Amino acid sequence: MNSVSEMDRVLDDNGGSAPTATQPNTKGLLVAGILCTSIAGIYALTTPFVLPALRRICLPYVPATSKQVSNVFQVLKRRQGKLVDLGSGDGRIVMEAAKRGFAAEGVELNPWLVWYSRLSARRLGLHDKTRFLRQDLWKLDLAKYDNIVIFGVEQMMCELEKKLTKELAANTHVVACRFPLPTWKPVSTAGKGVDTVWLYVRQR
């Protein structure tokens, strides 16, 4: 008797129907699907920009701050000629150099960043004053440049210093950002902390 009454109560609670298995929460599934799609899209768009820009030594893309850019050109004041930014990223150093009268080039391995830089230069009307090359800096002849800018990592600076010593002409100006060259003596510095830049002049 008690079993019959309990069954009647269950049927009443379910509108006269026997209880069914829990239905899936379609709203939750929809939200989860949108979230997963968004994450995948963001990953696909941003991955090319943060991949290492140099194969020989891992150098991820980290854009220069406005203070770092300002410091670079503070130590290069009154300089002109041909300038190259090694590992030029989104091209902001190259474009600022072009605005200041340099014949400016950027060297970058990441093809997405090269195309992004070219588009940015065109949008700013600087496409005829800048060049962005997809090239490995270790295979680039540096002798033709009067000014060299590098945002490097500590692991690469020793090998880079050897390349600079071998290839640069006298009076070439080198600006190292974030990390100094290991044995060259800077002629001046600007900034503090991560914004520090070191200026070197190649001597013969």
Side-chain angles (χ1 to χ4, degrees):
M1 185 68 178
N2 290 338
S3 298
V4 173
S5 298
E6 182 66 21
M7 180 60 72
D8 290 340
R9 186 181 67 77
V10 172
L11 290 174
D12 288 341
D13 289 343
N14 288 276
S17 302
T20 59
T22 302
Q23 297 295 319
N25 187 338
T26 56
K27 184 177 181 180
L29 291 175
L30 178 62
V31 170
I34 292 173
L35 181 61
C36 290
T37 302
S38 299
I39 292 173
I42 292 171
Y43 178 83
L45 288 172
T46 59
T47 295
F49 289 89
V50 297
L51 287 173
L54 304 173
R55 293 173 183 161
R56 195 165 178 176
I57 296 175
C58 181
L59 180 59
Y61 164 57
V62 180
T65 66
S66 58
K67 186 62 177 175
Q68 288 167 339
V69 175
S70 175
N71 289 340
V72 167
F73 293 100
Q74 179 181 329
V75 298
L76 286 177
K77 59 187 176 183
R78 294 189 294 274
R79 289 287 296 173
Q80 290 296 312
K82 200 166 186 179
L83 179 146
V84 65
D85 182 14
L86 303 179
S88 54
D90 62 6
R92 63 185 65 189
I93 291 285
V94 176
M95 287 181 274
E96 182 62 29
K99 293 177 184 177
R100 293 172 182 257
F102 290 91
E105 295 184 1
V107 173
E108 172 64 52
L109 262 185
N110 190 318
W112 295 89
L113 289 171
V114 172
W115 282 107
Y116 179 84
S117 299
R118 290 172 180 169
L119 289 172
S120 296
R122 180 166 292 278
R123 180 175 58 84
L124 294 173
L126 297 169
H127 56 283
D128 58 343
K129 300 177 181 178
T130 57
R131 290 183 67 209
F132 294 96
L133 309 173
R134 183 172 182 261
Q135 188 169 350
D136 186 340
L137 78 81
W138 304 108
K139 299 177 182 178
L140 178 69
D141 181 8
L142 300 177
K144 57 187 176 181
Y145 298 104
D146 305 298
N147 309 278
I148 295 172
V149 180
I150 177 68
F151 279 82
V153 293
E154 190 172 12
Q155 301 94 306
M156 71 181 287
M157 301 310 284
C158 183
E159 191 167 358
L160 178 61
E161 185 181 80
K162 294 176 183 177
K163 180 176 176 65
L164 296 171
T165 300
K166 179 181 179 181
E167 298 180 13
L168 297 191
N171 202 44
T172 302
H173 284 45
V174 178
V175 182
C177 310
R178 298 196 180 112
F179 294 98
L181 296 172
T183 66
W184 283 22
K185 303 301 181 185
V187 298
S188 66
T189 62
K192 296 180 180 179
V194 295
D195 293 328
T196 304
V197 303
W198 295 262
L199 173 66
Y200 305 90
V201 179
R202 178 72 175 109
Q203 305 293 334
R204 283 293 184 185

